[in-house]
């Protein structure tokens, strides 16, 4: 399920949530998406950042799952090139970083200007396309 290095663009973590989950949960489900960006294989931690941190705190491996069918349906209608541009250009609250080290992924700092800006809301494309 994990191909290449695990990366994310979400750094925000509520430490109280993490501690609570580490004590209560037995399974820590996280959603990931393997993708090649600028010629490098990565796996993006898409959902479950608190679960990932809680698993680490509990000393167990997270339960990696593929992204939801809804998200897969949205991105499967794009070409590989459009998908790459979408992921490079749309970050959450930080630049992409390696989840294990926190180090910024330098190769993904600059935007991808070769594709149109796209946004998806309410099950339809609202820009680009």
């Amino acid at each position: 399920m994990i191909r290449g290095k695990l990366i994310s663009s979400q750094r925000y973590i509520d430490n109280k949530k993490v501690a609570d989950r580490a004590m209560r949960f037995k399974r820590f489900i996280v959603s990931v998406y393997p993708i090649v960006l600028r010629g490098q294989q990565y796996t993006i931690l898409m959902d479950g950042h608190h679960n990932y941190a809680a698993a680490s705190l509990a000393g167990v491996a997270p339960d990696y799952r593929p992204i939801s069918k809804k998200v897969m349906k949205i991105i499967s209608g794009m070409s590989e090139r459009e998908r790459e541009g979408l992921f490079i250009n749309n970050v959450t609250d930080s630049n992409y970083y390696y989840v294990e080290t926190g180090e910024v992924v330098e190769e993904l700092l600059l935007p991808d200007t070769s594709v149109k800006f796209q946004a998806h809301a309410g099950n339809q494309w609202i820009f680009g396309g």
Side-chain angles (χ1 to χ4, degrees):
M1 175 84 36
I2 302 296
R3 290 187 235 148
K5 295 204 176 190
L6 187 62
I7 62 173
S8 176
S9 69
Q10 177 185 320
R11 286 195 188 261
Y12 172 77
I13 294 288
D14 180 333
N15 289 321
K16 287 182 183 178
K17 242 185 217 184
V18 171
D20 178 61
R21 290 177 186 195
M23 292 188 43
R24 290 186 314 109
F25 290 13
K26 292 189 183 337
R27 178 182 280 169
F28 303 92
I29 297 171
V30 295
S31 297
V32 295
Y33 182 67
I35 189 168
V36 174
L37 301 172
R38 295 198 167 129
Q40 288 283 83
Q41 177 69 59
Y42 300 100
T43 295
I44 300 174
L45 177 54
M46 298 280 290
D47 191 29
H49 289 76
H50 287 92
N51 283 350
Y52 184 90
S56 181
L57 185 60
V60 299
D63 185 357
Y64 294 108
R65 303 275 175 93
I67 57 175
S68 72
K69 289 179 183 177
K70 181 178 180 180
V71 175
M72 187 56 88
K73 183 178 179 185
I74 292 167
I75 63 176
S76 67
M78 301 175 168
S79 71
E80 190 174 319
R81 185 71 207 101
E82 290 170 324
R83 213 173 8 249
E84 179 179 10
L86 176 74
F87 279 99
I88 290 171
N89 293 339
N90 291 280
V91 295
T92 304
D93 66 7
S94 77
N95 292 311
Y96 280 109
Y97 65 94
Y98 297 107
V99 174
E100 292 299 318
T101 67
E103 178 187 354
V104 170
V105 183
E106 297 286 333
E107 297 80 16
L108 301 178
L109 282 175
L110 296 176
D112 185 337
T113 58
S114 70
V115 294
K116 292 181 191 175
F117 174 77
Q118 296 181 332
H120 192 266
N123 287 324
Q124 63 185 24
W125 291 109
I126 56 176
F127 307 116

